[in-house]
Amino acid sequence: DVKVTQSSRYLVKRTGEKVFLECVQDMDHENMFWYRQDPGLGLRLIYFSYDVKMKEKGDIPEGYSVSREKKERFSLILESASTNQTSMYLCASYTGKSEKLFFGSGTQLSVL
Amino acid sequence: AQSVTQLDSQVPVFEEAPVELRCNYSSSVSVYLFWYVQYPNQGLQLLLKYLSGSTLVKGINGFEAEFNKSQTSFHLRKPSVHISDTAEYFCAVRSSGSARQLTFGSGTQLTVLP
């Protein structure tokens, strides 16, 4: 089955730090996504990428950027972390063949 | 634009009882509908999906959902739940003519009590 790996399960950073969240998938999917998950708000799309070096803003892109230099890797960047970015971050890859998202296990980011 | 409303944020139910988790959506075009499940400390996984055809969809672990176009609903059901079904359940919608984005509901925490 497809494996989506997020580099860290828990991460603690200080306000103002630059933060990198890494995600790697092993099934050659074109499409990859970054969501944040907050209680009572469900999943909200931050950015997605439909090919190498291609990206589109999701619903809440402010304060974030992304990088996709290789097909298997999709990175989320917090240029200057703030406390309101404390959240669970979920990466996913997608195949249109089965109309299915494959999720990583998430990174719980705390910004102090 | 599309949106999803999960009407119950928390659903407690006793083991072996039936359960229904409610989901309503809005979209101006035809849609694809999904239920994802998130077990504690895990990512989400697909439970079932409706793309076309039969409106009654069966998924993993004995769950099923029925697409009702007139009521714009896609409720999830299971006739007899187990302790291991305790998880958060997310309904999601994608408009068939859109890009690859899914819109998720806010989630329903199902807690199965012994």
Side-chain angles (χ1 to χ4, degrees):
Chain A
D1 208 357
V2 174
K3 192 168 184 182
V4 179
T5 304
Q6 294 184 231
S7 54
S8 305
R9 183 75 180 94
Y10 299 97
L11 210 52
V12 180
K13 296 292 181 181
R14 296 202 178 276
T15 303
E17 279 193 80
K18 190 169 186 176
V19 181
F20 293 87
L21 302 183
E22 306 286 345
C23 176
V24 177
Q25 52 100 357
D26 66 357
M27 278 299 289
D28 205 37
H29 290 165
E30 278 89 18
N31 303 288
M32 296 186 74
F33 302 78
W34 275 106
Y35 291 90
R36 68 176 278 177
Q37 180 181 8
D38 299 287
L41 297 177
L43 276 71
R44 293 179 292 166
L45 181 65
I46 305 172
Y47 267 97
F48 71 97
S49 169
Y50 50 92
D51 205 345
V52 174
K53 296 190 187 294
M54 306 302 285
K55 61 186 178 185
E56 284 193 28
K57 294 179 180 179
D59 299 318
I60 51 163
E62 296 78 20
Y64 304 95
S65 62
V66 291
S67 172
R68 186 129 181 241
E69 297 296 319
K70 293 185 177 181
K71 194 173 188 179
E72 67 271 18
R73 186 179 297 270
F74 190 36
S75 302
L76 180 69
I77 303 155
L78 287 67
E79 295 289 342
S80 178
S82 63
T83 54
N84 62 13
Q85 292 179 309
T86 290
S87 186
M88 171 67 79
Y89 290 87
L90 292 169
C91 175
S93 71
Y94 167 85
T95 170
K97 293 178 184 177
S98 61
E99 190 66 45
K100 182 176 178 180
L101 276 171
F102 294 86
F103 283 86
S105 54
T107 296
Q108 178 62 52
L109 173 67
S110 297
V111 182
L112 307 177
Chain B
Q2 59 198 28
S3 66
V4 178
T5 302
Q6 290 185 243
L7 297 160
D8 306 294
S9 60
Q10 307 225 12
V11 173
V13 63
F14 287 108
E15 195 173 17
E16 297 184 5
V19 70
E20 178 180 82
L21 306 184
R22 297 181 293 168
C23 173
N24 286 92
Y25 69 93
S26 68
S27 175
S28 57
V29 298
S30 58
V31 295
Y32 300 152
L33 292 155
F34 308 82
W35 278 97
Y36 280 81
V37 59
Q38 185 179 32
Y39 298 105
N41 298 314
Q42 294 185 27
L44 281 72
Q45 57 183 279
L46 182 66
L47 198 56
L48 51 77
K49 61 189 174 189
Y50 170 79
L51 305 181
S52 65
S54 172
T55 57
L56 183 62
V57 180
K58 294 190 184 296
I60 60 173
N61 300 337
F63 283 93
E64 62 181 33
E66 186 157 18
F67 170 55
N68 188 318
K69 189 174 181 180
S70 61
Q71 297 187 9
T72 60
S73 67
F74 191 56
H75 301 333
L76 181 69
R77 301 184 183 100
K78 187 170 183 179
S80 176
V81 293
H82 303 289
I83 297 286
S84 58
D85 292 323
T86 293
E88 189 152 24
Y89 292 79
F90 292 92
C91 183
V93 63
R94 181 169 88 75
S95 298
S96 58
S98 77
R100 293 146 284 270
Q101 301 179 57
L102 256 68
T103 299
F104 284 85
S106 55
T108 297
Q109 174 64 44
L110 173 65
T111 302
V112 181
L113 306 166

